[in-house]
Amino acid sequence: MIPGGGQPNMQQLLQQAQQMQQDLARAQEELASTEVEGQAGGGLVKATVNGSGELRALVIDPKAVDPDDTETLADLVVAAVHAANENARQLQQEKLGPLAQGLGGMPGLPF
């Protein structure tokens, strides 16, 4: 319900929903094409993911490779990927957060 007791303008609600859908699609496309990086071991291992969290590249400095200690290298890889994914989540929040907040401002919708 709209304050004052009137019914929501369905055409206006539909237009707002369509605009938000278009904005969301654009933001998702932008996220998919934006890359962020995470690193571990002082930059010995670097992981690059897109804004959707898809791993795109992994760079391992030869100094990080010790055949007798592959466990540490594995830990560095996991840490770098984790850091990159955290950066991707922050990017998602920046791009999609304002769109999700907009849902609460549409009169007549229970958000």
Side-chain angles (χ1 to χ4, degrees):
M1 291 211 82
I2 293 179
Q7 292 295 318
N9 179 330
M10 295 309 279
Q11 183 66 26
Q12 184 179 11
L13 286 176
L14 180 59
Q15 287 174 346
Q16 286 177 334
Q18 287 172 336
Q19 181 63 47
M20 288 181 69
Q21 186 176 19
Q22 290 170 355
D23 292 346
L24 182 59
R26 269 193 299 276
Q28 288 172 329
E29 287 174 18
E30 187 176 329
L31 282 172
S33 65
T34 302
E35 293 185 344
V36 293
E37 185 179 279
Q39 54 181 307
L44 290 174
V45 177
K46 297 177 184 176
T48 303
V49 300
N50 68 11
S52 300
E54 181 181 329
L55 183 63
R56 305 302 258 160
L58 183 64
V59 177
I60 300 172
D61 188 303
K63 293 181 228 165
V65 181
D66 179 354
D68 295 327
D69 189 13
T70 57
E71 198 171 296
T72 297
L73 177 58
D75 289 344
L76 290 174
V77 169
V78 169
V81 171
H82 177 75
N85 278 323
E86 182 58 35
N87 290 337
R89 275 191 287 282
Q90 290 175 2
L91 182 63
Q92 289 170 359
Q93 190 131 29
E94 289 172 21
K95 297 289 182 189
L96 301 178
L99 294 174
Q101 291 172 353
L103 292 173
M106 293 180 65
L109 294 181
F111 296 112

